[in-house]
Amino acid sequence: MANNADEKRVRILETAKRRFAHYGMAKTTMAEIAKDLSFSKALLYYYFPDKNSLYAAVLEHVIEECQVLIENSISNMINVLDGVNSVLDISMNFKKKYFYLLEYTIIMRKELPTELDKLIIDSFESQRKTVEQVFQKGVDSGELKPIDVEDTARIFVFGTLGMRMSVLKDFKNDFIPDKCEFDEILAMQKKLAEIFVAGLRA
């Protein structure tokens, strides 16, 4: 019985993820998600009492999925720059795929419920901790000079966020960056990583 309930919950998350990623939160209704699943609305509300709770669960699901891929990637990193670039590549791929869930949520955060705002903060912290792990590996191997890895990772991640905002400064609620703009952001972030890591080398 429990396994069946878990399977239903996963189905709901996957279906809602596709609809939220395509239409965004505002233009998606619980009725549409229930219809996609061939569920009754009552059954959907049994698992998630409102759209905010479902959206938060989907966002958390996507963040965890991204984090697992990043963790696997940096476990096989060749050097610090390779590790940081892996974090940037995987993160950007998820931002492209789930723009309305991630980037849109960050920009609209002042209008979102507290639980969603907390997820955005948690997402930032996850990325910071991952970059911190990469820097720590570099310090341990002797590639980087001794540094405060936590503070250094925070500065780096804030720097990459600033680049995203500078390219997306003309963002409107109905605007999605095109491939060239995503590529421009990633190229800037990788250039920052190159300069940053060079300055940290032993």
Side-chain angles (χ1 to χ4, degrees):
M1 189 72 174
N3 285 342
N4 190 39
D6 289 345
E7 286 173 15
K8 277 193 173 71
R9 190 177 189 280
V10 170
R11 275 186 64 201
I12 292 168
L13 290 176
E14 289 296 331
T15 301
K17 179 173 71 173
R18 286 192 294 273
R19 188 165 276 277
F20 284 139
H22 188 72
Y23 297 105
M25 184 181 185
K27 295 180 180 178
T28 297
T29 67
M30 293 290 271
E32 288 167 335
I33 294 167
K35 185 178 178 183
D36 289 345
L37 288 157
S38 300
F39 282 2
S40 67
K41 281 199 291 182
L43 180 58
L44 183 57
Y45 281 114
Y46 171 79
Y47 286 94
F48 298 97
D50 53 44
K51 188 166 70 169
N52 284 342
S53 64
L54 176 54
Y55 192 82
V58 169
L59 185 59
E60 187 173 21
H61 182 62
V62 168
I63 291 169
E64 286 174 356
E65 188 181 343
C66 179
Q67 196 61 25
V68 167
L69 286 177
I70 289 173
E71 292 282 352
N72 290 339
S73 176
I74 65 172
S75 66
N76 299 311
M77 71 184 219
I78 300 166
N79 53 43
V80 172
L81 186 57
D82 176 64
V84 173
N85 282 340
S86 289
V87 174
L88 295 175
D89 280 328
I90 294 169
S91 296
M92 188 58 72
N93 282 337
F94 268 74
K95 287 175 180 70
K96 286 181 187 177
K97 190 173 181 181
Y98 301 116
F99 178 79
Y100 273 126
L101 280 166
L102 301 168
E103 226 43 35
Y104 178 83
T105 309
I106 292 170
I107 292 168
M108 299 298 291
R109 63 181 294 190
K110 288 184 180 177
E111 300 173 24
L112 296 174
T114 306
E115 64 267 25
L116 286 174
D117 192 45
K118 183 179 181 302
L119 277 174
I120 296 302
I121 295 168
D122 290 346
S123 174
F124 171 84
E125 277 301 297
S126 291
Q127 187 166 1
R128 183 199 59 74
K129 285 176 184 175
T130 305
V131 174
E132 182 183 328
Q133 286 176 38
V134 173
F135 288 160
Q136 188 62 60
K137 283 173 180 276
V139 171
D140 293 344
S141 69
E143 182 185 352
L144 301 185
K145 58 192 173 188
I147 54 171
D148 180 335
V149 290
E150 180 179 342
D151 194 45
T152 306
R154 181 175 287 106
I155 293 167
F156 177 78
V157 174
F158 270 126
T160 63
L161 285 172
M163 289 172 172
R164 288 216 305 274
M165 293 303 106
S166 69
V167 174
L168 300 179
K169 62 183 179 298
D170 297 324
F171 177 86
K172 304 295 180 196
N173 289 354
D174 59 349
F175 171 72
I176 301 176
D178 60 28
K179 183 179 183 299
C180 290
E181 285 161 321
F182 278 121
D183 290 345
E184 181 185 351
I185 295 165
L186 184 58
M188 288 171 66
Q189 289 176 338
K190 287 190 169 183
K191 188 63 182 176
L192 174 65
E194 187 181 334
I195 295 166
F196 209 88
V197 172
L200 297 174
R201 286 202 176 102

